[in-house]
Each structure stands twice: as structure tokens, then as C-alpha cells.
Amino acid sequence: MTTPLLVALVVIPGTVGDLMNSAGMKLHGEITDWSPRNLVHVAHDLLHNFYIMAGIPAMAISFFALMALLSTTAMSFAVPITACSYILETALAKYLLREHVEWHRWAGAFLVALGVALLTI
């Protein structure tokens, strides 16, 4: 596989997985009781949560694509280049999850993108 395709297979499913998991956990709510008994109930609930169950395979695709990318390129390139997902995730969190994104978060995402751009030179 070509490097750009592998980067896309890391970034896009990873972003989808993060969005799905975030939406699923917003539906589930905060976990406040970390006792083993309650964690069994949480696991049961999450296994029946569509968003979580859709996010897991997306994250798996991203993980295995990252492993393939690391096997063909330098880690000093592969890991930072996947950080371009930060802008995508920030934008999708704002528009799909309806999150309020402050200016300093946008600035941080764009600074990361600038760093990624410098890596590709």
C-alpha cells in the first residue's frame, strides 16, 4: 500500500472511531462508580451501545493501518503525520457533536497542523 493511503486509513477511521465513541459515551453518561460490580454493568451497557460498537472496529482499522504504516515508513514521520486528525476531529466535534470549541483549541489544532506540514517538507 502507498503511504498516503495508509495515512488516510489511520486518520479517517480513527477520527470516525473517536467521534462514535464520544457520542456513545455522551449517551451513556459519566462513569462515577468504578467498583468491579458496576464495571460489569457498564461493559454490558456499552456492548449494547450502537455508537461504541461502531467505534471499536473503526479504531481497529486505524490501529492496524498504523502498524502497516510503521512497517513501511520512519516512526518520526508516521506518528506525527497522523496528528492531522486533530483538525478534522475538532471540526467534526463542533459540527456533528455540537461541542463548543474555544478559539484556543482551534489555535492548538492549527499549530499541530503546521507542525505536520513542516514534517512533510
Side-chain angles (χ1 to χ4, degrees):
M1 284 191 170
T2 66
T3 299
L5 177 60
L6 286 172
V7 170
L9 284 173
V10 172
V11 171
I12 295 169
T15 299
V16 168
D18 286 340
L19 286 169
M20 298 298 265
N21 288 334
S22 180
M25 288 308 296
K26 283 178 178 37
L27 282 177
H28 179 272
E30 183 180 1
I31 301 170
T32 56
D33 181 359
W34 292 89
S35 68
R37 180 180 173 97
N38 189 60
L39 290 178
V40 169
H41 292 291
V42 169
H44 177 268
D45 291 346
L46 295 181
L47 287 171
H48 291 90
N49 183 315
F50 169 78
Y51 293 107
I52 298 296
M53 295 312 294
I56 291 171
M59 297 298 287
I61 292 167
S62 178
F63 172 78
F64 288 111
L66 178 61
M67 295 300 102
L69 183 63
L70 289 170
S71 73
T72 60
T73 63
M75 187 176 100
S76 60
F77 169 79
V79 173
I81 197 73
T82 61
C84 60
S85 67
Y86 294 168
I87 290 180
L88 183 58
E89 288 183 3
T90 302
L92 293 175
K94 178 176 177 54
Y95 296 109
L96 293 181
L97 298 178
R98 307 272 188 233
E99 291 183 3
H100 179 68
V101 181
E102 298 281 343
W103 70 268
H104 51 87
R105 289 193 184 172
W106 283 113
F110 280 102
L111 284 173
V112 169
L114 179 62
V116 169
L118 287 173
L119 285 172
T120 61
I121 295 175

